[in-house]
Amino acid sequence: MSAPRVRETINNCVSRSQSDSYEDQQKALQTLASITRVSPQYRSLLAQTDGAISTLLGLSKSSSPIIRTLSLSILLNLSLNPDLKQSLASMETIYRLNWIIQSSSSQETVKLASSLICSLAMLDKNKARFGVAGTVQVLVKAVSAPSNPAGHHLLSSLAELVQFHGNSTLAVRAGAVSELIHLIGSTEAEDLAGTSLAVLNLLARFDEGMIALTKTDQIVSLMVDVLKGRSMFSKE
């Protein structure tokens, strides 16, 4: 498909996604999701389209689960382009992602929102921005929810953010060490233990995290129990 034809298709889909009809919105978003999944060039063209990003952000609050999922999927596709990560990580976007994680009842939506945070945070320049917006505290609180199906996605996002010293400090102050220790020792969250340990390792690189770990009761016996367990990732 030629560049002018692609641009026309994208403009048409963005326009249709603003329709009052859920059916029109869904078809338009499905097309955008499909073409941005495979082509960095198409992602750039969509990102350059007037009103595209704000429209997708608005649709991420739609009452329709399908519309919410599709809009977040497209934003996640766009974030795969390294040159788009900084512009996508606006405070408006970050606050919207925080809101989704805090308030959404759809675990698929939460997974997509946390994956988008992780993708955008891979650009070091964005890490501090998430810290300022309170994303670290939002993730720590979400991780503490019992049997959270989005646990791995939330922990992966937290792991990416705490590589920045300032965010590590925020995580420790938000109680991340105790929450992660709880996940490691919980039989209900055994599949999250390895990822939780990986985040603890990152926190321990800085004084605040190491001090919090050394003050944790029975930390040595807990690590010995991990070594006796079956998970090779946790043992590593």
Side-chain angles (χ1 to χ4, degrees):
M1 192 184 302
S2 65
R5 179 71 180 277
V6 172
R7 193 180 296 276
E8 180 183 352
T9 298
I10 289 174
N11 286 334
N12 180 260
C13 286
V14 171
S15 177
R16 287 170 57 205
S17 69
Q18 298 168 348
S19 166
D20 292 331
S21 166
Y22 282 139
E23 183 177 354
D24 284 346
Q25 287 181 343
Q26 182 176 336
K27 288 180 179 179
L29 292 175
Q30 284 174 334
T31 299
L32 291 176
S34 177
I35 64 176
T36 57
R37 187 178 299 117
V38 297
S39 172
Q41 179 187 4
Y42 295 172
R43 294 171 199 151
S44 294
L45 287 173
L46 176 58
Q48 294 164 10
T49 302
D50 288 343
I53 303 301
S54 59
T55 296
L56 292 170
L57 282 176
L59 292 174
S60 69
K61 290 183 68 175
S62 170
S63 59
S64 165
I66 295 176
I67 299 300
R68 290 198 304 270
T69 298
L70 284 169
S71 60
L72 285 170
S73 296
I74 295 166
L75 288 170
L76 182 58
N77 289 345
L78 296 182
S79 76
L80 298 178
N81 278 25
D83 61 321
L84 295 180
K85 290 184 186 293
Q86 186 169 3
S87 60
L88 284 172
S90 66
M91 296 306 287
E92 179 186 6
T93 298
I94 295 172
Y95 285 132
R96 178 62 55 83
L97 296 175
N98 289 353
W99 179 85
I100 290 171
I101 291 173
Q102 289 174 304
S103 62
S104 178
S105 59
S106 166
Q107 290 307 310
E108 183 60 30
T109 301
V110 173
K111 289 177 181 178
L112 285 168
S114 54
S115 294
L116 181 52
I117 289 172
C118 186
S119 177
L120 295 176
M122 288 179 181
L123 180 67
D124 288 343
K125 291 181 179 179
N126 287 340
K127 286 181 170 63
R129 193 174 294 181
F130 280 103
V132 170
T135 305
V136 173
Q137 294 90 330
V138 168
L139 291 172
V140 171
K141 184 176 181 180
V143 164
S144 67
S147 304
N148 193 328
H152 279 298
H153 295 75
L154 296 166
L155 285 169
S156 295
S157 299
L158 187 60
E160 191 62 46
L161 287 175
V162 300
Q163 293 180 48
F164 175 62
H165 190 177
N167 288 341
S168 178
T169 300
L170 291 173
V172 172
R173 292 176 180 174
V177 171
S178 60
E179 295 297 345
L180 294 168
I181 290 292
H182 175 73
L183 287 174
I184 293 166
S186 173
T187 55
E188 295 181 0
E190 189 174 356
D191 60 327
L192 298 179
T195 313
S196 299
L197 281 163
V199 179
L200 279 180
N201 275 322
L202 291 169
L203 295 178
R205 296 185 306 157
F206 304 112
D207 289 344
E208 300 93 334
M210 182 58 73
I211 291 170
L213 279 168
T214 56
K215 289 182 177 179
T216 301
D217 291 338
Q218 299 181 330
I219 183 66
V220 175
S221 61
L222 176 61
M223 293 302 107
V224 171
D225 289 341
V226 169
L227 290 173
K228 292 179 180 178
R230 292 175 296 176
S231 172
M232 292 307 297
F233 181 34
S234 294
K235 290 179 181 181
E236 290 171 6

